[in-house]
């Protein structure tokens, strides 16, 4: 209690919110975002709305009514106060792309996510719309100019921070000013990373953002007013510096190997062909797919007894599996596949689960991965097994392993270790085999160790729960210590003589951390990188009956953190408690249990969203993150 009192006394005193005139005729109000007010006599146009508290104070600057709200993008914290507007008086405008997201928000929250879901990273949505539809009265087009009481406003399409992001440029007393949403934070930095992460490491969002920054840099903007953070002075110079930062960042963000050539490579010189279809030999007891099956998941260790251990198995037809099992029995001495070890939580590594069960195969993986296989819909992560539409929605793990376990199997010692990287939820298996130390590493690194231009990292994706210090850097240090002779990556990637490759991998991880720290505005950059620093488990909660959900708050700082999290519940749902207040110790996380009850008569069928309105150490972040609930599935499959 004494420590808490000292901490609370040390917090800065928070002044009551007030308007600041940031340019002639332009006032700024700060709550969950910067709300900018263009004022003429007693009328106003707002750029973004925040939590709507600005509406209660407009009289302080002589405004009696708001004619328009212009939204730079769809993000909840910019428009979560929409219900406070008098829609008979105030029109809301946004771009065509943002209109779709704002008016149909629940179509971007799936009970049964799939890889190809719109605006998602392999099924994990990257859009953060309000929980209920927000009607857009006016659609704004790129290049459109409209005048309002002496303000000539030009709409400029600036996607990147959001799929349909828009900036508003105006001339005022011979000055060019712009309202730029989340395109850039003061200091030539990103507003956050997770809103620009649109695909699986191919830089679609980053490239869109870079193009938008280039566009703004040509407009001669003197001052920019962003949706978050301080006013951006000398904006053109900052846009130019930001563009250079993004260009410098891109080579370390995209994959550290030629991904487009992965499926075109020929036979690895260390392998030998076998009489079994598609199968090549790596060492006397170790086999993998040859180049005809590049990109598929299959490696197998066959002991002298004929018993075998599979290392991942997925992304090819059951008929191919049946044929190669038959071939291996005929030509390679296979008698029985005892188990299939799963390297990490992504479903493409066990899409053959039912077919292997038919052969009596058991499934092994580490404890931190098992629940992702058994209850994938409980998580808001990419590439869960259900997203693959593989004919099953979850996989029961027969043997749950722990980091540090050593398994005696057919005369071999199989070592199991936690190995994050591409995702937090991965493990490595290594053994001494045929005179070599061989380690199976899943998707953590790929490439050709003999090519000095490659550093091997697989895609950076924050939605994999993949903070680099806790992921790729851990993996690199693990491999440095292990010193393997052979690295067996998933998807048929064999890496021999990897010592220098591992060093390049390690150096890349350190460099990438430095670049994210430079790009993001918080000195604890993880708050702008990680989309899960307040999260819910399960992410998808069935409230047909009373249900429990665990809300986890993470503290990346080295000091005590105070939080206030308010659950924004749909009609017909109650939470006990609905308000979470407390502290989390330095560099730690804490979970809080919430009990949900729903009245089926008041809760519509289908998915409903529960945003979490967050305040940390007195700073209001707004409804950054969410989870979803459902009492009864909707009849229309498109809404699932």
């Amino acid at each position: 209690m004494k420590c808490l009192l000292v901490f609370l006394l040390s917090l800065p005193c928070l002044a009551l919110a007030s308007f600041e005139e940031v340019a002639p005729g332009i006032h700024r109000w700060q709550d969950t975002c910067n709300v900018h007010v263009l004022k003429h006599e007693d009328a106003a146009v707002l750029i973004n709305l925040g939590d709507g508290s600005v509406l209660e104070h407009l009289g302080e600057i002589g405004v009696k009514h708001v004619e328009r709200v212009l939204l730079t993008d769809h993000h909840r914290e910019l428009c979560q106060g929409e219900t406070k507007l008098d829609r008979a008086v105030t029109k809301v405008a946004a771009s065509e792309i943002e209109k779709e997201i704002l008016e149909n928000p629940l179509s971007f929250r799936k009970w049964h996510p799939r890889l190809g879901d719109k605006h998602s990273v392999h099924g994990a949505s990257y859009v953060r719309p309000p929980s209920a539809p927000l009607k857009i009265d006016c659609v704004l087009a790129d290049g459109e100019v409209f005048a309002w009481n002496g303000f000539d406003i030009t709409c400029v399409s600036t996607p990147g921070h959001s799929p349909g992001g828009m900036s508003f440029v105006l001339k005022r007393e011979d000055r060019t000013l712009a309202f730029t949403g989340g395109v850039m934070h003061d200091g030539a930095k990103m507003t956050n990373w997770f809103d620009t992460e649109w695909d699986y490491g191919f830089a679609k969002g980053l490239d869109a953002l870079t193009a938008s920054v280039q566009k703004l840099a040509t407009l001669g903007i003197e001052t920019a007013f962003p949706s978050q953070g301080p006013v951006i002075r000398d904006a053109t110079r900052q846009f130019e510096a930001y563009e250079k930062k993004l260009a410098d960042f891109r080579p370390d963000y995209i994959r550290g190997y030629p991904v487009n050539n992965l499926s075109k490579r020929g036979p690895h010189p260390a392998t030998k062909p076998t009489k079994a279809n598609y199968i090549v030999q790596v060492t006397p007891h170790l086999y993998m797919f040859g180049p005809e099956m590049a990109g598929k998941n299959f490696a197998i260790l066959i002991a002298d007894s004929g018993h075998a251990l599979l290392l991942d198995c997925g992304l090819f037809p059951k008929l191919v599996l049946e044929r190669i099992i038959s071939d291996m029995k005929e030509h390679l001495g296979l008698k029985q596949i005892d188990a299939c070890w799963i390297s990490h939580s992504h479903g493409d590594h066990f899409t053959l689960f039912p077919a292997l069960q038919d052969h009596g195969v058991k499934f092994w993986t580490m404890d931190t991965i098992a629940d992702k296989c058994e209850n994938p819909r409980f998580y808001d992560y990419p590439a869960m097994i259900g997203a693959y539409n593989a004919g099953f929605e979850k996989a029961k793990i027969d043997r749950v392993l722990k980091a540090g376990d050593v398994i005696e199997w057919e005369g071999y010692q199989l070592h199991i270790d936690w190995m994050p990287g591409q995702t937090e939820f991965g493990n490595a298996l290594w053994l001494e085999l045929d005179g070599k130390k061989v380690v199976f590493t899943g998707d953590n690194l790929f490439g050709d160790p003999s090519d000095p231009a490659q550093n091997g990292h697989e895609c950076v994706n924050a939605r994999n729960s993949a903070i680099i210090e806790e992921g790729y850097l851990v993996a690199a240090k693990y491999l440095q210590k292990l010193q393997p002779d052979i690295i067996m990556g998933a998807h048929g990637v064999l890496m021999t003589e990897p010592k220098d490759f591992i060093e390049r991998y390690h150096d890349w991880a350190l460099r990438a951390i430095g670049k994210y720290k430079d790009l993001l505005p918080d000195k604890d950059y993880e708050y702008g990188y990680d989309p899960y620093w307040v999260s819910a488990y399960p992410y998808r909660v069935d409230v047909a009956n009373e249900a429990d959900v665990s809300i986890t708050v993470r503290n990346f700082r080295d000091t005590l953190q105070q939080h206030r999290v308010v659950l924004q519940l749909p009609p017909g749902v109650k939470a006990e408690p609905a308000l979470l207040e407390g502290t989390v110790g330095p560099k730690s996380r804490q979970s809080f249990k919430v009990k949900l009850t729903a009245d089926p008569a008041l809760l519509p069928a289908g998915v409903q969203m529960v945003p979490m309105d967050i305040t940390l150490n007195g700073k209001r972040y707004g409804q950054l993150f969410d989870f979803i609930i459902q009492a009864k599935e909707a009849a229309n499959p498109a809404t699932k």
Side-chain angles (χ1 to χ4, degrees), residues 16 23 41 71 90 121 180 183 212 282-283 320 335 338 378 449 456 491 496 504 509 591 622:
L16 294 175
E41 297 179 350
L71 295 177
T90 305
V121 180
T180 53
V183 172
S212 294
V282 181
T283 73
V320 173
K335 292 181 180 176
D338 291 344
F378 287 8
H491 298 283
T496 55
R504 296 195 296 272
S591 297

Side-chain angles (χ1 to χ4, degrees), residues 1 9 22 132 365:
M1 179 63 76
L9 290 173
V22 291
T365 197

Side-chain angles (χ1 to χ4, degrees), residues 85-250:
L85 289 171
D86 182 351
R87 296 304 296 268
V89 175
T90 305
K91 305 300 182 185
V92 180
S95 74
E96 184 71 44
I97 293 174
E98 301 299 276
K99 171 184 165 72
E100 179 190 15
I101 299 169
L102 289 161
E103 292 191 338
N104 303 283
L106 296 179
S107 68
F108 302 100
R109 292 293 182 271
K110 304 289 189 182
W111 198 256
H112 300 286
R114 294 292 183 256
L115 295 181
D117 288 343
K118 191 172 184 178
H119 297 317
S120 81
V121 180
H122 284 4
S125 178
Y126 59 78
V127 295
R128 301 188 293 104
S131 56
L134 193 166
K135 184 178 184 297
I136 299 301
D137 303 290
C138 309
V139 173
L140 304 173
D142 184 31
E144 179 179 345
V145 180
F146 64 90
W148 182 80
N149 293 317
F151 294 91
D152 290 322
I153 302 170
T154 301
C155 301
V156 180
S157 176
T158 50
H161 179 65
S162 184
M166 182 161 281
S167 296
F168 303 104
V169 179
L170 59 87
K171 300 283 188 180
R172 194 69 172 164
E173 297 182 352
D174 298 322
R175 300 168 62 195
T176 301
L177 311 175
F179 303 92
T180 53
V183 172
M184 183 176 75
H185 189 283
D186 186 44
K189 293 179 180 289
M190 283 185 136
T191 300
N192 62 45
W193 168 248
F194 48 77
D195 284 328
T196 300
E197 190 179 72
W198 294 359
D199 60 16
Y200 216 66
F202 291 99
K204 181 181 178 182
L206 178 64
D207 290 346
L209 178 64
T210 303
S212 294
V213 173
Q214 290 171 336
K215 182 189 289 190
L216 292 171
T218 67
L219 299 181
I221 297 166
E222 177 185 324
T223 304
F225 305 109
S227 56
Q228 302 291 345
V231 172
I232 300 171
R233 311 291 180 185
D234 196 5
T236 294
R237 180 191 60 79
Q238 290 208 43
F239 284 130
E240 291 170 347
Y242 188 34
E243 179 188 342
K244 290 178 182 177
K245 273 188 187 180
L246 295 175
D248 179 63
F249 166 73
R250 190 182 192 278

Side-chain angles (χ1 to χ4, degrees), residues 257-258 261-263 265-273 279-291 293-300 311 433-434 436-451 454 456 484-499 501-502 504:
Y257 63 95
N261 294 333
L262 198 62
S263 62
R265 62 194 186 278
H268 193 287
T271 64
K272 298 177 182 178
I279 302 296
V280 297
Q281 186 180 53
V282 181
T283 73
H285 294 88
L286 180 60
Y287 303 86
M288 62 181 282
F289 272 154
M293 296 292 282
K296 314 305 182 187
N297 282 308
F298 185 91
I300 191 165
L311 293 307
L433 177 67
D434 300 326
K436 302 286 187 181
K437 183 181 284 187
V438 182
V439 59
F440 299 87
T441 54
D443 286 355
N444 286 320
L445 72 166
F446 295 141
D448 180 1
S450 68
D451 180 354
Q454 297 186 33
D485 300 301
I486 295 174
I487 298 175
M488 288 285 292
H491 298 283
V493 182
L494 171 61
M495 293 160 277
T496 55
E497 300 183 18
K499 185 176 186 299
F501 192 52
I502 293 167
R504 296 195 296 272

